[in-house]
Amino acid sequence: MKRPVRVGAGEKLVLTANRLLDGRIVWRDHDGHWAARVGAAEKLDADAVSDVLEEAQARAQQDGVVGVYEVAVRDVDPPEPVTVRERIRAHGPTVHPEFSVEAGQ
């Protein structure tokens, strides 16, 4: 059973997954493509996410991703994941900023 995502005031939802070829964490943009940066993610309202999520899950194999699900983010640019787990997924391991995922891009 899927765990519901709580969306608070000033928050939106984005879709995330893992790329099959290399395991990288990816984020779905507004064109339906998967990007390696959370800043490219399309921010969705809670009432609109179910259709987009269903479509993304149905196309996951074609798009080369696995484990598609939604993540609550603060509605800022770039979107900032609410939970610690998702912030680590978005920005890389908890290491010096020089070695983070964002620094290499």
Side-chain angles (χ1 to χ4, degrees):
M1 181 175 173
K2 186 180 162 311
R3 179 176 48 105
V5 174
R6 293 185 182 154
V7 181
E11 295 176 358
K12 299 275 189 174
L13 294 168
V14 298
L15 299 186
T16 187
N18 289 85
R19 203 165 36 204
L20 283 171
L21 291 178
D22 58 9
R24 289 275 314 240
I25 294 144
V26 290
W27 308 86
R28 190 176 186 276
D29 67 18
H30 68 282
D31 292 326
H33 299 111
W34 294 96
R37 294 179 309 105
V38 68
E42 175 185 20
K43 295 183 280 187
L44 302 162
D45 291 320
D47 57 347
V49 77
S50 62
D51 291 336
V52 178
L53 177 61
E54 188 176 306
E55 176 192 343
Q57 288 173 332
R59 291 189 44 85
Q61 186 174 5
Q62 294 169 332
D63 291 344
V65 296
V66 65
V68 179
Y69 66 96
E70 72 271 26
V71 172
V73 295
R74 288 183 185 85
D75 190 12
V76 295
D77 287 317
E80 183 62 27
V82 174
T83 66
V84 172
R85 177 187 191 276
E86 297 303 334
R87 282 195 299 269
I88 292 170
R89 287 183 78 245
H91 302 297
T94 53
V95 298
H96 188 278
E98 180 182 344
F99 305 109
S100 73
V101 173
E102 296 288 327
Q105 298 175 3

